[in-house]
């Protein structure tokens, strides 16, 4: 019944407004104040899901969902999650379910090979991969490993000296992760990027920042480079960045949460050229790789650095296999002890679709984004703000005149209004970013159900509202 | 097909050895070295799951699984997980799926009320609850919130001064969490417990430790009290512990990962008497509450302390609802940005079974453990090491004479041997602990499928192997 319910949900999803229209507090008015004393039939619960829950859902799987980044799902991914829940194992160490650990090592090698990751990132090359929930966890783990390694060199009381580098486009999760692990909030350097450089981190700017810090007695610890930033899918140039970072003894993590998936297509692989110079690399298979949330794939060259920081060995978890040293206990590679059997869904996605289909799904999204970019470029009222790299288009309405007055300017306001109206229509959901003072609209193609017609329809909706807004503006001025 | 597969798995689960018998590396020999280029049919994948994966599973849902703590599942929990995967929403803030946030607040209030948590822990009383993956995450979040609050008082550079308190029975995840957030590993005080006090943390011992630290210039930060420790399900006395901790300005977290669930039964609620004096309280609904992994429920009195440490507000996540301040954005209550719709499964468990059934499930497990305890006590060769509190029995074979020579003694070795043989039989899986030099066997009842006959059967297996071991020992000495 539930499988049918989900199948129906996906079949009928287009009937719902993409962005939920409920008002804050709507659900508390609909549900009883306490848990029921007696059991309730599943039919009753499903009825409530239909009438109370679904209206409060912003439909990330809707084919007209173009907001944030996708959280692309698939039948294989959902079934893998179901199967993992059905087995209900907790694979914190090898013994607690050997298959959970071993499948993860195998699948991470498979996937790493598909991405052409350099051998030292794979188990077969002395490194290895692990599946976490999200990139935020990967950031914390990498920072802890790097921190402890550095403090072992410079002295345990020097945590206040450590500095983390990134760009002003790096995901906010890095700042948060640095704070969590005890780096002084003032010691995260978000190096400024420019529109001229398509918002990529400049190795020269990085080096200047590092030099200034070193002169002041700070200790460079960590560089996070991004492949596909959140605001504009900018790509930081790995090779020269790693060169600078290594000169100063930093750990380099490559956050390819969104853009990494594309590297299974040979024509995109160049975006991670230079990854051989980094220490760790992660991407979210739940973003643009058809594996349900959560599934962050992290590869590291030196798993021992993680294990030195994160191992626990209480008597109640001891067992012969672990004591032998011949197995992987993933609890020592991550923050938490308990872990779900996440490799199952990734394995099912890889096998159910195969490399060929996965490439063509991604290429399909890129083609749709390309088509959308062309539509935007062909309409005088609009402009593409930065060249498209993957399957996301950053665009905006041009102002009626050419002089903006900064990020509070009329143009930004107009685009904000446009976004509100488009999202309010329920027919499309997009989100925005603010870069270099420019308020831009992000059109991120990646929902598994999206087809060319949905992109065309979205463009029509955007144009209609642009017409209306131009009318308003004419009226006002 | 997959639902049937899972149903069949649960129906046939008793035919499998509880503890997997595969050897390290078994799976790499069975699977191809690379991902398939072309799609493979689901039938092929399911065949591999049956022949390659299931033999490598340690069956946590097996009715003869008595190891670690349970990870008790249920049909409602599995279906809730499936439904969440089917919706595929990412509820990091309210707007991204209002229902995901609102249902979580409602269910956490329901559950808190079932546990008779004091009003200040509930949304309706100014506090509130949040669902995380595991207790490890809850530890990190609580420590970060407490750390930042304290450093704001004493100075940002004093992180090296902070001290965390717990007992030598507290879960190892606390030490790890403290390390993650930058507390010096030497500054976690694991206060010694005694068998005489049933391994509970003594308020007097705590106070002595704190006094000694304060005299040395250290700054008390955090106390973790446990309700149901891993080794022996010891219960730390909250009221007097909170009294000491508050005297010295510490944050008190109550880790009721295992024992907390029992508090929905009035006869067990007393184990958290005094919780009103603490700051935060967590339990794992995936442990002994029929909700599939992962589902750690955390309640805090002062969510602002979390939000001060964990909030992020990048432009690309801004929206009217968040800006209004009138909604909850759970991203600011936790480590990660992305989050699954976990409240759905907890809601489905609460509704599908109701308070009455949930109580009777827990009482059933307790009754089975009680019956097992009686069997142990009635056999002269065995002893119960600490009095049973919940649904776990700590026992061991007595030595042939009364003088043990410490934790490496003959008695410990004999019990270790017994455990190996029992687990090797495939008919039962238990684990062990080492407390006060005593190697004990932990018999944790809690698997959803376990019935009285499985407990009787387990006891028979244990007795058989005890006979064999006694024979061996007679032969040797």
């Amino acid at each position: 019944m539930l499988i049918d319910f989900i199948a129906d949900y996906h079949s009928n999803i287009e009937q719902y407004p993409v962005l939920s229209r409920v008002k804050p507090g709507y659900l508390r008015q609909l549900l009883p104040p306490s848990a029921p004393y007696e059991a309730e039939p599943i039919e009753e619960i499903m009825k409530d899901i239909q009438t109370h829950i679904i209206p409060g859902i912003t439909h990330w799987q809707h084919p007209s969902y173009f907001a944030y980044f996708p959280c692309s799902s698939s039948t294989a991914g959902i079934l893998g999650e179901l199967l993992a829940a059905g087995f209900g194992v907790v694979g914190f160490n090898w013994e607690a379910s050997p298959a959970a650990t071993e499948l993860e090592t195998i699948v991470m090698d498979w996937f790493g090979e598909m991405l052409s990751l350099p051998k030292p990132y794979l188990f077969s090359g002395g490194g290895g991969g692990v599946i976490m929930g999200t990139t935020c966890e990967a950031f914390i783990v990498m920072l802890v490993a790097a921190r402890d390694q550095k403090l072992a060199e410079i002295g345990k009381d020097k945590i206040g000296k450590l500095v983390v580098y990134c760009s002003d486009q790096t995901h906010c999760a890095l700042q948060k992760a640095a704070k969590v692990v005890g780096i002084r909030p003032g010691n995260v350097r978000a190096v400024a990027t420019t529109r001229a450089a398509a918002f990529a981190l400049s190795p020269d700017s990085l080096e200047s920042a590092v030099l200034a810090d070193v002169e002041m007695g700070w200790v460079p610890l960590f560089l996070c480079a991004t492949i596909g930033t959140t605001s504009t899918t900018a790509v930081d140039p790995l090779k020269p960045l790693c060169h600078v970072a290594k000169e100063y003894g930093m750990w380099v993590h490559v956050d390819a949460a969104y853009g990494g998936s594309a590297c299974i297509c040979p024509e995109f692989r160049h975006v991670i050229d230079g990854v051989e110079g980094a220490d760790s690399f992660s991407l979210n298979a739940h973003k643009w790789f058809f594996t349900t949330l959560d599934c962050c794939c992290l590869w590291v060259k030196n798993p021992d650095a993680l294990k030195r920081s994160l191992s626990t060995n209480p008597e109640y978890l001891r067992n012969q296999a672990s004591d032998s040293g011949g197995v992987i206990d993933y609890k020592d590679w991550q923050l938490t002890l308990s872990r779900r059997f996440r490799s199952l869904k990734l394995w099912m996605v890889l096998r159910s679709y195969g490399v060929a289909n996965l490439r063509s799904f991604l290429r399909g999204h890129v083609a749709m984004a390309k088509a959308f970019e062309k539509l935007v470029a062909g309409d005088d009222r609009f402009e593409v703000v930065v060249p498209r790299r993957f399957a996301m288009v950053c665009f905006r309405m041009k102002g009626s005149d050419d002089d903006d007055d900064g990020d509070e300017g009329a143009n930004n306001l107009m685009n904000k209004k446009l976004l509100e109206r488009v999202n309010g229509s329920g027919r499309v959901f997009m989100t925005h970013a603010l870069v270099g003072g420019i308020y831009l609209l992000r059109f991120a193609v990646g929902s598994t159900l999206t087809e060319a017609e949905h992109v065309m329809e979205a463009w029509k909706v955007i144009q209609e509202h642009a017409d209306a807004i131009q009318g308003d503006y004419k009226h006002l001025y």
Side-chain angles (χ1 to χ4, degrees), chain A:
Chain A
M1 187 173 73
L2 229 99
I3 290 271
D4 288 343
F5 181 90
I6 293 172
D8 287 348
Y9 169 70
H10 287 138
S11 309
N12 299 327
I13 198 166
E14 296 194 48
Q15 79 184 44
Y16 303 118
V18 196
L19 178 65
S20 171
R21 288 171 162 167
V22 298
K23 295 273 168 286
Y26 88 102
L27 194 56
R28 215 169 261 264
Q29 293 160 24
L30 297 171
L31 297 185
S34 301
Y37 188 74
E38 301 292 348
E40 293 183 86
I42 183 77
E43 291 76 13
E44 201 62 35
I45 301 173
M46 296 309 293
K47 218 178 66 191
D48 283 356
I49 288 175
Q50 188 67 54
T51 58
H52 300 339
I53 301 297
I54 286 185
I57 283 184
T58 293
H59 302 280
W60 286 63
Q61 304 308 320
H62 198 295
S64 300
Y65 174 97
F66 303 102
Y68 304 112
F69 277 133
C71 180
S72 68
S73 185
S74 66
T75 306
I78 293 171
L79 293 181
E81 190 75 61
L82 169 61
L83 204 56
F87 285 136
V89 302
V90 189
F92 44 66
N93 58 21
W94 182 87
E95 187 191 51
S97 253
T101 296
E102 297 206 7
L103 188 63
E104 190 160 326
T105 65
I106 293 165
V107 167
M108 289 300 286
D109 265 9
W110 282 12
F111 197 10
E113 199 187 66
M114 286 167 66
L115 298 162
S116 303
L117 282 187
K119 196 93 176 149
Y121 284 103
L122 308 186
F123 284 103
S124 48
V130 55
I131 303 181
M132 299 190 169
T134 73
T135 301
C136 308
E137 286 167 62
F139 281 163
I140 297 175
V141 165
M142 294 301 96
L143 281 166
V144 168
R147 179 198 69 187
D148 291 351
Q149 199 166 281
K150 186 62 80 182
L151 292 181
E153 282 172 37
I154 65 169
K156 284 182 203 275
D157 286 323
K158 299 272 174 64
I159 189 169
K161 290 275 169 211
L162 303 176
V163 182
V164 169
Y165 299 86
C166 60
S167 88
D168 58 4
Q169 300 300 308
T170 304
H171 196 280
C172 64
L174 183 76
Q175 295 255 4
K176 180 163 163 175
K179 194 175 178 199
V180 165
V181 308
I183 307 289
R184 294 157 55 117
N187 281 13
V188 179
R189 307 272 177 263
V191 178
T193 59
T194 64
R195 187 178 178 187
F199 303 105
L201 175 56
S202 144
D204 289 342
S205 307
L206 172 68
E207 185 148 33
S208 307
V210 175
L211 271 172
D213 282 333
V214 170
E215 254 173 51
M216 299 288 288
W218 300 111
V219 178
L221 171 68
F222 192 92
L223 168 67
C224 178
T226 307
I227 306 300
T229 59
T230 307
S231 290
T232 65
T233 71
V235 170
D236 293 337
L238 295 185
K239 210 188 234 350
L241 288 174
C242 288
H243 186 76
V244 174
K246 287 300 159 190
E247 190 114 333
Y248 296 92
M250 283 190 254
W251 182 295
V252 182
H253 179 70
V254 179
D255 168 19
Y258 167 71
S261 309
C263 297
I264 67 164
C265 304
E267 70 273 25
F268 279 105
R269 174 55 177 77
H270 68 92
V271 298
I272 59 167
D273 280 356
V275 68
E276 57 278 5
D279 298 281
S280 48
F281 175 89
S282 63
L283 70 78
N284 288 347
H286 59 252
K287 257 197 178 65
W288 194 26
F289 207 71
F290 315 101
T291 313
T292 56
L293 185 70
D294 44 5
C295 191
C296 169
C297 299
L298 168 71
W299 290 266
V300 290
K301 280 185 182 170
N302 181 10
D304 283 341
L306 274 63
K307 287 190 266 179
R308 270 195 297 273
S309 286
L310 301 169
S311 285
T312 52
N313 195 21
E315 179 64 32
Y316 49 79
L317 293 178
R318 282 186 66 183
N319 62 85
Q320 284 184 338
S322 298
D323 287 348
S324 79
V327 297
I328 287 170
D329 290 338
Y330 270 128
K331 70 181 175 61
D332 297 335
W333 292 50
Q334 63 176 26
L335 294 178
T336 64
L337 175 61
S338 292
R339 61 200 320 269
R340 291 178 10 262
F341 193 171
R342 293 193 188 102
S343 56
L344 208 46
K345 60 184 177 184
L346 184 54
W347 186 55
M348 288 184 72
V349 165
L350 294 178
R351 293 189 63 181
S352 298
Y353 307 117
V355 175
N357 284 313
L358 289 165
R359 283 181 182 162
S360 88
F361 294 155
L362 298 181
R363 285 168 178 155
H365 290 152
V366 172
M368 285 186 259
K370 216 178 251 183
F372 183 86
E373 188 183 29
K374 213 167 156 186
L375 293 168
V376 171
D379 186 325
D380 274 349
R381 295 170 301 176
F382 291 88
E383 67 171 330
V384 174
V385 178
V386 283
R388 182 199 48 75
R389 296 210 67 141
F390 301 99
M392 186 174 93
V393 180
C394 297
F395 71 107
R396 63 167 179 172
M397 282 182 83
K398 293 185 210 162
S400 44
D401 46 51
D402 277 345
D403 53 359
D404 288 352
D405 48 339
D407 61 6
E408 288 302 321
N411 196 355
N412 284 354
L413 268 176
M414 180 174 67
N415 277 286
K416 192 174 179 198
K417 185 115 322 214
L418 174 63
L419 182 65
E420 277 166 21
R421 294 205 192 171
V422 167
N423 289 344
S425 75
R427 292 158 68 196
V428 180
F429 181 30
M430 298 185 300
T431 52
H432 73 286
L434 187 71
V435 286
I438 299 167
Y439 185 102
L440 57 82
L441 308 187
R442 299 164 72 264
F443 188 82
V445 181
S447 173
T448 311
L449 298 170
T450 302
E451 298 188 19
E453 71 195 66
H454 301 105
V455 172
M456 288 302 301
E457 165 73 11
W459 177 238
K460 237 183 274 171
V461 173
I462 293 163
Q463 283 186 310
E464 281 168 28
H465 288 280
D467 289 341
I469 279 180
Q470 283 205 324
D472 287 1
Y473 271 69
K474 250 175 218 145
H475 189 74
L476 282 168
Y477 297 107

